[in-house]
Amino acid sequence: MARANLDTVTSAVDGLLDAALDFEQMPGAIEQVRKLFNGSKACLGHFGPDTHPADSISNNSDPELDAFCYRELMTEAQSFIAQVAGVPVGTVYRDHALFGDELRSNRFWREWMAPQDMYGGMASRVLEAGPSFWLCDVQRGRGQEPFDAADIALFERLMPVMRRVTQLRQQLGRLSIERDMARRALDELSLAIIIVDRSLQLAYANA
């Protein structure tokens, strides 16, 4: 494949940084990553206790297929998830090198990966948080060339950006939860409260 140029790399990095502050932009940012590596599919997924379909952000999500995966196929995928959990954070691996022939003989690949043209991928755990971890994965489709050493090297250099984006998202998510909890506590007070900002514009009122 043709090597990625500076503009393409910069665009992908800018998209990820923008998505850190506005996570609704993350599917578009993941699409930029897919294009950067000429992939058939790219995703940022969260694995651990109590995960659900919304924890996976991809460039072109199929909600019904994702729900089917979490409902019917996660048991089939557990052995692969356990193997990935043993890969050091930041290390890039090829899925077929890690899983071998077991991957394509598994129902998880046949019924979820293959229908999405996911025939050979490279991935990295970008962040670990207790029993959970975040994984970035880019796949190539049937008939495409496998990822080469240059692809792996570029992907490896992109992972610190992905790690920081994921960390920021978690921090902002916690702040949002704390803000919502504070708002609910204020709403329950019997006394009227009005908060204004520095320009004396109304910021909050529970009455």
Side-chain angles (χ1 to χ4, degrees):
M1 63 172 283
R3 295 274 67 87
N5 60 42
L6 181 60
D7 287 344
T8 310
V9 175
T10 301
S11 178
V13 171
D14 286 347
L16 289 170
L17 294 175
D18 288 343
L21 300 177
D22 180 3
F23 217 57
E24 290 184 2
Q25 295 187 45
M26 184 55 81
I30 295 297
E31 169 65 6
Q32 294 276 15
V33 173
R34 183 200 67 77
K35 288 180 178 178
L36 177 62
F37 293 100
N38 189 31
S40 59
K41 181 87 173 183
C43 73
L44 175 65
H46 177 242
F47 299 89
D50 302 320
T51 55
H52 52 82
D55 289 332
S56 180
I57 303 117
S58 66
N59 60 299
N60 58 342
S61 292
D62 181 333
E64 290 187 7
L65 188 59
D66 289 345
F68 167 74
C69 174
Y70 278 79
R71 186 178 64 251
E72 303 287 341
L73 303 177
M74 288 308 289
T75 301
E76 304 282 343
Q78 285 306 312
S79 64
F80 304 128
I81 294 171
Q83 286 177 268
V84 171
V87 177
V89 170
T91 299
V92 179
Y93 65 88
R94 291 182 175 91
D95 51 16
H96 289 293
L98 182 64
F99 306 131
D101 294 338
E102 182 186 356
L103 179 62
R104 290 198 181 184
S105 64
N106 189 280
R107 187 181 168 209
F108 175 70
W109 184 83
R110 294 195 308 271
E111 297 185 29
W112 190 73
M113 294 181 69
Q116 298 182 86
D117 203 23
M118 300 166 72
Y119 278 78
M122 60 179 176
S124 176
R125 291 201 312 145
V126 298
L127 186 66
E128 190 172 61
S132 303
F133 64 87
W134 287 88
L135 174 81
C136 182
D137 176 68
V138 182
Q139 293 281 328
R140 287 260 173 89
R142 185 200 294 265
Q144 286 188 285
E145 291 294 322
F147 293 110
D148 60 23
D151 293 317
I152 297 288
L154 178 57
F155 191 68
E156 198 165 46
R157 295 189 69 177
L158 190 64
M159 288 307 95
V161 178
M162 186 67 78
R163 184 176 308 117
R164 187 59 181 147
V165 166
T166 307
Q167 287 172 332
L168 285 170
R169 174 56 189 168
Q170 285 194 317
Q171 291 164 2
L172 291 173
R174 283 194 294 270
L175 287 173
S176 178
I177 291 170
E178 291 170 3
R179 181 196 62 204
D180 291 344
M181 290 175 65
R183 281 180 177 269
R184 283 197 296 272
L186 289 172
D187 287 343
E188 291 172 4
L189 291 176
S190 57
L191 139 100
I193 293 179
I194 296 174
I195 300 174
V196 296
D197 60 21
R198 290 181 179 179
S199 60
L200 300 182
Q201 296 296 309
L202 181 66
Y204 171 82
N206 71 341

